[in-house]
Amino acid sequence: MDKARRRELRDQYKRSERDARIAHCALTEEQLSDLVDATDELVVEQGCFHDTRHAEQWAERNGIAPDFFLPGLRELGGYCDCEIVMNCDPGIVFDR
């Protein structure tokens, strides 16, 4: 297999991985960024309680049902607030 074909296959694989991450997310890049920033702030101030209470507070303030986006964040490794901050970086999820 020549270099051009390997590069094409690699790029195709990376695009499909990015598309899968975005599909899991259910939030826009801006919403995810806002969620991660707000959750990070609360985790620093209050700590992580090993649940998603800070993310749920953000959702409530923004009129978004937690059931809409939390399952997708779990797929990305965000099972609690500190994991949302660490594993759901919008730059990685949206590959920017």
Side-chain angles (χ1 to χ4, degrees), residues 47-88:
C48 181
F49 297 95
H50 308 293
D51 59 21
T52 57
R53 71 181 67 185
H54 300 316
E56 290 174 35
Q57 289 171 358
W58 173 87
E60 195 173 299
R61 285 192 310 271
N62 287 278
I64 300 171
D67 290 342
F68 173 71
F69 68 91
L70 285 176
L73 294 185
R74 288 185 194 105
E75 287 290 323
L76 297 169
Y79 292 92
C80 67
D81 288 321
C82 68
E83 290 177 340
I84 289 171
V85 172
M86 297 301 294
N87 298 331
C88 300

Side-chain angles (χ1 to χ4, degrees), residues 2-73:
D2 67 355
K3 284 185 180 185
R5 179 68 178 142
R6 281 193 305 250
R7 183 176 300 122
E8 178 186 334
L9 290 172
R10 184 196 66 219
D11 291 347
Q12 193 175 43
Y13 172 78
K14 286 183 177 184
R15 280 191 304 275
S16 70
E17 287 291 306
R18 183 200 64 217
D19 292 346
R21 287 191 308 269
I22 291 170
H24 286 301
C25 185
L27 297 173
T28 66
E29 186 173 3
E30 184 178 325
Q31 288 172 320
L32 182 59
S33 180
D34 189 38
L35 166 66
V36 170
D37 290 345
T39 303
D40 184 35
E41 214 172 277
L42 290 171
V43 167
V44 169
E45 288 174 10
Q46 301 172 15
C48 181
F49 297 95
H50 308 293
D51 59 21
T52 57
R53 71 181 67 185
H54 300 316
E56 290 174 35
Q57 289 171 358
W58 173 87
E60 195 173 299
R61 285 192 310 271
N62 287 278
I64 300 171
D67 290 342
F68 173 71
F69 68 91
L70 285 176
L73 294 185

